[in-house]
Amino acid sequence: MKKNDYRPGEVIVTDFLGYQHWSIVSDRKCDDNQYKLISATRRNGTVKEEKFDTVTQGRHSYKVGDIGKPEDFLFLIDRARGWIGQWDYSILSANCEHFVNLIRLDKAKSRQLENTLLCSAITLLLVSASSKKISVSSMLCLLVISGGIAVYASRGQPAASNSLNHNEGNIG
């Protein structure tokens, strides 16, 4: 898909180092005729409606789904806008994926976070059950690796195999 081919109500995922950022395509456009994105960011500490390029920062981005039928998405976009400036960002309880899922599914949840915490807990249990002593630095390294694997396994999948690189002027 071309960069301007995404539509209001679609969910866009942007790949950042070690995590994905989740956004909802707005029905409002910028001066450059690109749709804005609504998302919760650590950068802002809350929900904002911003230019596509500001949110994605030129990273690989693609569509993973939409937030309903055309008659539903305006209601849900308005609902997302209701959180602008009201959302207190927290990586553990109110991150971008929590936000998008609250709007889409009425349940604030983050598979990336849930799987990372589960995988890290299993790693801790396995290491503590082992008869070998392990250093703190080795333990931290194992936790980072297991957390990274969990985040990777939790990635949003491109809808209809349309993932393209934003830097090439495309988005899926």
Side-chain angles (χ1 to χ4, degrees):
M1 294 178 92
K2 297 241 190 290
K3 189 173 179 179
N4 290 332
D5 285 348
Y6 53 89
R7 294 181 306 274
E10 291 179 334
V11 175
I12 301 296
V13 169
T14 303
D15 292 330
F16 284 89
L17 184 61
Y19 70 98
Q20 291 184 314
H21 181 74
W22 293 64
S23 307
I24 297 170
V25 179
S26 172
D27 59 340
R28 294 180 181 162
K29 290 185 174 184
C30 300
D31 294 339
D32 61 3
N33 206 32
Q34 287 186 37
Y35 284 108
K36 293 182 175 188
L37 296 178
I38 304 171
S39 65
T41 67
R42 182 184 64 194
R43 176 176 44 84
N44 296 321
T46 190
V47 171
K48 283 188 86 174
E49 187 170 12
E50 302 177 287
K51 292 176 81 169
F52 184 90
D53 292 333
T54 300
V55 176
T56 63
Q57 299 176 16
R59 309 277 181 148
H60 179 250
S61 300
Y62 51 91
K63 172 187 166 183
V64 295
D66 56 49
I67 55 175
K69 300 174 283 196
E71 59 268 18
D72 296 336
F73 77 75
L74 289 175
F75 167 76
L76 293 171
I77 289 171
D78 283 344
R79 182 175 170 193
R81 276 194 192 106
W83 284 101
I84 292 175
Q86 304 301 309
W87 186 269
D88 290 326
Y89 184 90
S90 164
I91 196 165
L92 296 177
S93 61
N95 66 38
C96 58
E97 191 178 7
H98 285 112
F99 172 71
V100 168
N101 284 322
L102 176 67
I103 301 305
R104 292 174 65 207
L105 309 171
D106 275 333
K107 184 174 182 183
K109 66 180 200 167
S110 171
R111 281 188 14 191
Q112 290 180 97
L113 179 64
E114 291 167 1
N115 289 345
T116 298
L117 293 175
L118 177 63
C119 197
S120 296
I122 290 170
T123 300
L124 284 173
L125 286 173
L126 290 174
V127 168
S128 65
S130 137
S131 60
K132 292 184 179 181
K133 268 194 163 182
I134 188 165
S135 69
V136 173
S137 60
S138 295
M139 174 62 80
L140 290 174
C141 185
L142 283 172
L143 288 173
V144 168
I145 290 169
S146 65
I149 291 168
V151 167
Y152 184 80
S154 305
R155 297 170 58 81
Q157 298 301 312
S161 301
N162 59 6
S163 171
L164 297 169
N165 192 317
H166 176 65
N167 289 331
E168 298 169 0
N170 297 304
I171 181 164

